[in-house]
Amino acid sequence: MDIYFIGINDNILQTQNNFTGSITVERNFNTKNNICFKDVYPNKSVDYNNIADLDKIDRFYIKCVKKIIKKNKNAYFIRYNEHNLKHFNLRKYHIFSANKYQIYNLLNNKFKIRKKLKNITNILHYDYIHGKRKIKNYLLNHWKTENCDFVLQEKFGFAGTNTYIFTKNNYKQQLKRLKYFTTYCISVLQKNFLPINIHLFIQSGQVKYFTPSQQIINTNKNQMNYGGALFNLSHSTESLVKKEAKKIGEGFLLGIGYQGVLGIDFILSNNVLYFMEINARFQGSTAKLNEMLLKKGKKSLFDMQLNLLTKNFK
């Protein structure tokens, strides 16, 4: 079995396994036989907030998969994000999948998952507003009596995409970036909050919880973007995060039958830990965590996921 990786980049491939090659968007140096979108289409830019561009990437992935399988019938593919290529016949093209599409769709939907978990863990207050005009009225009405900033999010997004900060000074410009006939969830931007992520791995009814990390969030053009991770949380904070993650892992994720790796995002504000979202995939911090695990002589999360996927595919 020759394993190929599919993803934006291959920096998570801290692994004890040998990969035959990779299909990526960004240029890579970790794997041989890399097919890169930006090498094939050097004049095409990619906007990860743009659905059309994400579809363009999926079409590139599947074109490469078909080309590789034509030459090598023993080629199989593992994805960074199993939400990619969801509209294709995964088994036909030897693409591993740990869960049904419906499960990924639920977990990646920020609106639905927050409503599902409201009785399990702490959730911020959210309002759901449809359309630019109603959002503008909502903000102006609140600013008559409150002096606060707001965060707006779409249903789907990753690494800060489709998440916007609105202030009294920037709201006119920010409104231009929103889609006309789309629903957004709105919450008050918490002051002095600490963003946190924890990895979970689920297999055969067992949940493993890994060392949580502080997430580095950069604000660019009033949009939040992931900028890295620091594994430097205090023991008390780590314990609190694992306690809340356990409520979600054993109180919800096992019940829906999820298998494999995922990440849960929280924020710590005024000594209260609030659930933010579930990312049903590898995380931006997976590479660093894999490195830590391998140094301790343990399997990386990538190896755990690969072993699960190959076992399920048989």
Side-chain angles (χ1 to χ4, degrees), residues 159-177:
T161 60
N162 300 325
T163 296
Y164 308 95
I165 299 172
F166 275 68
T167 70
K168 288 182 179 180
N169 294 327
N170 75 8
Y171 78 93
K172 291 181 180 179
Q173 191 65 30
Q174 287 290 74
L175 282 170
K176 296 177 183 178
R177 304 178 69 185

Side-chain angles (χ1 to χ4, degrees), residues 55-239:
D55 287 341
K56 185 196 309 178
I57 291 170
D58 266 6
R59 289 194 298 273
F60 168 74
Y61 287 156
I62 204 66
K63 181 180 179 181
C64 295
V65 166
K66 289 177 178 178
K67 183 178 179 181
I68 291 170
I69 288 180
K70 190 174 181 179
K71 293 182 178 179
N72 182 2
K73 301 297 182 184
N74 198 40
Y76 290 81
F77 302 86
I78 181 172
R79 294 164 290 169
Y80 171 83
N81 185 349
E82 295 207 12
H83 213 63
N84 290 125
L85 303 174
K86 56 185 179 289
H87 300 304
F88 294 93
N89 186 326
L90 302 181
R91 185 163 285 274
K92 177 181 178 181
Y93 294 117
H94 296 183
I95 299 169
F96 296 128
S97 185
N99 300 281
K100 293 180 179 179
Y101 168 69
Q102 291 84 348
I103 292 179
Y104 290 117
N105 201 46
L106 168 62
L107 296 182
N108 290 323
N109 187 319
K110 294 179 174 64
F111 298 2
K112 287 184 178 180
I113 197 61
R114 286 166 182 164
K115 291 175 181 178
K116 288 280 187 183
L117 296 180
K118 66 180 181 181
N119 295 322
I120 295 177
T121 188
N122 298 315
I123 306 283
L124 291 170
H125 174 76
Y126 293 94
D127 288 314
Y128 298 86
I129 311 296
H130 183 79
K132 285 189 179 186
R133 183 174 297 177
K134 289 183 179 179
I135 289 172
K136 179 181 178 181
N137 292 338
Y138 175 95
L139 295 171
L140 294 178
N141 285 335
H142 274 272
W143 282 328
K144 288 178 182 177
T145 57
E146 302 174 43
N147 184 23
C148 59
D149 300 330
F150 290 89
V151 178
L152 274 71
Q153 290 183 304
E154 291 186 39
K155 285 181 183 179
F156 299 104
F158 68 96
T161 60
N162 300 325
T163 296
Y164 308 95
I165 299 172
F166 275 68
T167 70
K168 288 182 179 180
N169 294 327
N170 75 8
Y171 78 93
K172 291 181 180 179
Q173 191 65 30
Q174 287 290 74
L175 282 170
K176 296 177 183 178
R177 304 178 69 185
L178 302 185
K179 302 180 181 79
Y180 274 99
F181 303 109
T182 298
T183 299
Y184 291 84
C185 68
I186 304 180
S187 63
V188 174
L189 177 64
Q190 303 298 301
K191 295 181 179 179
N192 302 317
F193 68 90
L194 180 66
I196 296 170
N197 173 273
I198 182 171
H199 287 74
L200 279 63
F201 187 82
I202 303 174
Q203 185 174 10
S204 303
Q206 300 294 317
V207 187
K208 293 181 180 180
Y209 304 90
F210 295 86
T211 304
S213 62
Q214 174 187 342
Q215 304 292 282
I216 300 170
I217 305 297
N218 299 322
T219 303
N220 180 30
K221 296 181 180 178
N222 294 297
Q223 183 171 335
M224 292 182 175
N225 297 299
Y226 174 78
L230 299 171
F231 287 83
N232 62 354
L233 297 174
S234 67
H235 178 72
S236 59
T237 301
E238 280 194 20
S239 298

Side-chain angles (χ1 to χ4, degrees), residues 30-60:
N30 295 337
T31 53
K32 298 178 181 178
N33 303 316
N34 171 244
I35 307 173
C36 174
F37 180 92
K38 291 189 176 179
D39 285 338
V40 177
Y41 304 107
N43 297 321
K44 288 187 179 181
S45 60
V46 176
D47 179 0
Y48 296 111
N49 282 308
N50 188 305
I51 294 176
D53 277 14
L54 296 179
D55 287 341
K56 185 196 309 178
I57 291 170
D58 266 6
R59 289 194 298 273
F60 168 74

Side-chain angles (χ1 to χ4, degrees), residues 240-273:
L240 177 60
V241 173
K242 287 183 177 180
K243 180 181 177 181
E244 290 301 311
K246 190 173 182 179
K247 292 179 184 178
I248 298 170
E250 296 172 23
F252 177 71
L253 292 169
L254 285 181
I256 64 171
Y258 186 85
Q259 291 195 91
V261 67
L262 59 73
I264 304 177
D265 286 346
F266 296 97
I267 63 166
L268 184 64
S269 178
N270 296 320
N271 297 317
V272 179
L273 193 69

Side-chain angles (χ1 to χ4, degrees), residues 8-34:
I8 293 174
N9 59 59
D10 66 2
N11 67 351
I12 65 164
L13 297 184
Q14 283 83 357
T15 171
Q16 296 165 341
N17 291 284
N18 293 318
F19 278 76
T20 305
S22 61
I23 307 168
T24 61
V25 180
E26 308 291 343
R27 292 181 178 87
N28 293 273
F29 305 97
N30 295 337
T31 53
K32 298 178 181 178
N33 303 316
N34 171 244

